[in-house]
Amino acid sequence: VLRESVDTRTVVAFTPTGQAVEDWDDMIVVQIFEDSRKPSGADLFATTTGAYEGACSTVRGGAYQEGDSNGYPAGFWVLGCNENPASGDGETAFFRVIEGQQATYLLQRTWRTAPWPADGQPEIPEAARREAMAALASFIVCDPGQGQRHPCPDTNAPLSPLGGR
């Protein structure tokens, strides 16, 4: 686990047992942007897309999909890098952003893969993709003080296999 805070941004990165933040095959990263000028989901989409375009031979991805999550503006997007010349690896990430009242929260599920053809697909098992989508969909921001508008989950409910309630 890596945790760092810089100014008004906190980053926490998680890797499975046996992997390190410096040498990973799959990772979950949570970023929290707390500031009156916190970025919007569209801002973060543009920033991450620009970072991939600057680092990758070919970038594939979908459009920014806007929606709502527990009464807050939310978004989702996917980016794929067929080969990062600096690492020699391919990379694919699913992103979910929620624009809360006091912060913007970005959850990222990323896989490193073997490089893949620019017109191809990364080798990520379908079950892993489905699990990642379910985990991202279960990520919410709630506000106990505004239970009607942004209700929090029942903390006494049993956990699901994906960690959600």
Side-chain angles (χ1 to χ4, degrees):
V1 175
L2 165 75
R3 181 183 178 94
E4 64 183 34
S5 293
V6 178
D7 297 323
T8 59
R9 183 176 131 215
T10 300
V11 179
V12 182
F14 302 91
T15 57
T17 302
Q19 295 182 36
V21 174
E22 304 80 28
D23 183 26
W24 55 273
D25 291 324
D26 55 288
M27 181 186 307
I28 295 173
V29 179
V30 179
Q31 296 183 64
I32 303 168
F33 302 86
E34 299 178 89
D35 191 328
S36 60
R37 301 165 308 198
K38 62 188 186 287
S40 69
D43 293 337
L44 292 170
F45 170 72
T47 299
T48 56
T49 300
Y52 269 62
E53 288 171 347
C56 302
S57 300
T58 300
V59 176
R60 293 190 57 190
Y64 180 65
Q65 301 173 42
E66 294 181 271
D68 178 88
S69 174
N70 202 30
Y72 290 113
F76 174 81
W77 66 97
V78 176
L79 288 172
C81 171
N82 76 316
E83 183 175 5
N84 181 327
S87 69
D89 295 315
E91 184 175 299
T92 299
F94 293 3
F95 297 87
R96 169 108 189 247
V97 64
I98 300 175
E99 298 175 42
Q101 186 168 342
Q102 297 175 353
T104 297
Y105 305 85
L106 179 62
L107 182 63
Q108 175 181 342
R109 175 65 166 90
T110 307
W111 295 270
R112 270 195 187 147
T113 64
W116 35 279
D119 61 349
Q121 294 284 329
E123 292 185 24
I124 301 170
E126 185 60 31
R129 291 174 194 242
R130 280 195 306 271
E131 182 181 311
M133 292 294 293
L136 289 172
S138 71
F139 171 62
I140 67 163
V141 172
C142 69
D143 185 342
Q146 295 187 19
Q148 295 298 322
R149 290 186 54 207
H150 312 291
C152 293
D154 178 3
T155 57
N156 294 317
L159 290 173
S160 75
L162 295 175
R165 294 190 186 275

